Amino acid sequence: MNMLFTFLKGIIVGMCNVIPGVSGGTVIVIFDIYDEFLSILSFNLKKTFKNWRFVLPIFLGIVFGILLFSKLIDFLYGNFPTQTNYCFSGLIIGSIPLLFGYTFGKNKKQSENQKKRDGDSENPSKLGRLSSIICVLVGFAVIFSFYILKQKFDVKPENFATLPTFTFKLAILLFVAGILGSVAMIVPGISGSLILLIMGVYPIIMTAISSIFVPEEFVHALILLLPCGLGIIVGLFGGAYLIKLLLRKFQNQTYAFILGLIVGSVVNVFPGFNEIDSFGKGLGSVISLLAGIALAYFGSKTPKNDDKVAAKTN
C-alpha cells in the first residue's frame, strides 16, 4: 500500500513538473519526501538499491505523470497556441513575487545565515542585498544570452507545430536545458519546466514526448529527447549536491540569480499582440494570462509552505 501511495505521489510530482511555474520540488516538500528524494540522487548506489521500495514507485509515477500531462500540453499548443503562450507568460509573472520574497524578503532563517556569512561587518544587510542585486543582474544577463542563442539557432514558437529538424546546435541547447531544468526541479519553489520554457525548448520537448506514441514519429522524437534526457540525468545527480550547498551557503544569492532569469524571461516568452486577430482570441488570451498569474502566485501560498521549504533546504 505504501508503494501505491508513493506511485500516486510520483504521478502528481510528474504532472507538476510539466506545468511551467509550478514547482515539483515544492510538491515533494509538501509530501514530506524531500530528504528521501535527495538521498537517492547521491552516488551511494548501495543505499539507492536498498531503498528500492521508494525509488521504483516514485520514478515510475513521475514518468507516468509526465507522459500523461504532456498529451494535454501538446493539444493546447496545437489548438490554442496564443492563449497557451499567454498563460505561460502569466505563470512566469506570477512566480516573480515568490522569488522576490525568497531573495529580498525578511526571513528569520535567511537573516541568521546572512549574519554568519557576513560576520561582524558594519552593515551586513547592505552587503547581502548588494550581492543579491548583482546576482539578479547576472541571471538577467544569462537569460539574455539564451535569447540570442535561441534566435541564432532559429528556435522560434512558430516552429513548434511539428517536430523540428535535429541539428547539433539544437542538441547542445536541449542538453543544457535538460541540465538546468532538472537542477531547478530539485529546488523547492522553482519550476524546472519553467526553465525549459525560458530557454525556448519546452514546446519541443512536450511535442517530442507526445510523439513517441506515434509510430512514424517515434525515432525522430526519441533522437530529440535523447540529449535532453542525458542532460536531466547529469543535472539530477550532479546538481543535487550543488543545490544543497548553494542553498545552505548562499540561499539569497541563489534565489536572486534565479529571479534574474525569471525577470529576463518575461519579454523572451511573451507572445506579443500580433497574433491576436479577433475579440474572442484577445479575451481568451487575457483570461489565460490572468489564470497563469493566479496559478503561479496562489500555488506558492500553500499554508506553511515557505516554512517547510526553508526547513528542508537549510
Side-chain angles (χ1 to χ4, degrees):
M1 186 62 68
N2 287 337
M3 291 182 66
L4 176 60
F5 281 129
T6 303
F7 176 71
L8 293 176
K9 290 176 182 178
I11 292 177
I12 296 174
V13 171
M15 293 174 65
C16 289
N17 276 314
V18 171
I19 306 174
V22 179
S23 170
T26 297
V27 175
I28 292 174
V29 170
I30 293 172
F31 285 150
D32 199 25
I33 56 175
Y34 190 73
D35 289 338
E36 197 170 8
F37 185 80
L38 283 184
S39 68
I40 64 177
L41 297 178
S42 65
F43 292 97
N44 191 338
L45 296 179
K46 183 178 179 180
K47 184 177 180 180
T48 300
F49 283 119
K50 185 178 180 180
N51 199 19
W52 70 271
R53 290 180 179 274
F54 173 79
V55 175
L56 185 61
I58 194 69
F59 277 104
L60 286 178
I62 289 174
V63 171
F64 187 79
I66 291 174
L67 292 175
L68 182 68
F69 218 68
S70 65
K71 297 291 291 183
L72 175 60
I73 297 296
D74 187 46
F75 171 80
L76 291 174
Y77 260 114
N79 295 275
F80 308 100
T82 302
Q83 294 89 333
T84 302
N85 280 325
Y86 265 88
C87 181
F88 287 161
S89 298
L91 286 167
I92 294 173
I93 295 171
S95 66
I96 291 177
L98 171 69
L99 289 170
F100 189 88
Y102 281 160
T103 304
F104 299 106
K106 293 183 179 180
N107 179 287
K108 183 178 180 181
K109 186 68 177 178
Q110 288 178 343
S111 298
E112 292 174 356
N113 290 340
Q114 189 174 350
K115 288 179 181 178
K116 291 179 181 178
R117 290 194 302 269
D118 297 332
D120 297 327
S121 173
E122 193 173 297
N123 210 337
S125 60
K126 287 188 177 181
L127 287 175
R129 288 182 181 274
L130 178 61
S131 63
S132 295
I133 292 173
I134 292 174
C135 289
V136 170
L137 296 176
V138 171
F140 186 89
V142 168
I143 202 58
F144 184 74
S145 300
F146 279 128
Y147 174 77
I148 295 175
L149 287 175
K150 192 174 71 171
Q151 298 300 315
K152 184 178 180 181
F153 293 167
D154 194 32
V155 182
K156 299 178 181 178
E158 57 264 30
N159 294 337
F160 292 151
T162 57
L163 290 174
T165 303
F166 179 83
T167 63
F168 179 74
K169 291 180 178 180
L170 181 57
I172 295 297
L173 189 62
L174 289 169
F175 178 73
V176 174
I179 293 176
L180 297 180
S182 61
V183 170
M185 186 189 76
I186 301 172
V187 183
I190 310 302
S191 169
S193 54
L194 185 66
I195 301 300
L196 301 181
L197 183 68
I198 289 169
M199 295 186 65
V201 301
Y202 176 80
I204 294 178
I205 295 173
M206 290 298 102
T207 303
I209 292 175
S210 298
S211 298
I212 62 177
F213 298 102
V214 182
E216 57 269 23
E217 295 182 348
F218 175 79
V219 176
H220 188 184
L222 194 62
I223 292 175
L224 287 172
L225 288 173
L226 184 60
C228 183
L230 291 174
I232 290 174
I233 293 174
V234 172
L236 281 176
F237 287 91
Y241 175 78
L242 177 62
I243 288 298
K244 289 179 69 176
L245 180 65
L246 289 175
L247 287 176
R248 188 180 301 117
K249 301 292 185 180
F250 310 102
Q251 182 173 327
N252 290 46
Q253 288 78 6
T254 301
Y255 279 117
F257 177 76
I258 299 173
L259 176 62
L261 293 177
I262 300 300
V263 172
S265 70
V266 175
V267 177
N268 188 9
V269 176
F270 186 71
F273 304 101
N274 295 332
E275 298 179 10
I276 299 179
D277 51 11
S278 66
F279 175 79
K281 182 178 286 189
L283 180 62
S285 298
V286 172
I287 293 174
S288 298
L289 179 69
L290 296 176
I293 294 174
L295 179 61
Y297 181 77
F298 293 106
S300 65
K301 294 299 179 181
T302 305
K304 297 184 180 179
N305 184 53
D306 289 348
D307 295 337
K308 287 185 176 182
V309 170
K312 292 293 184 180
T313 56
N314 286 284

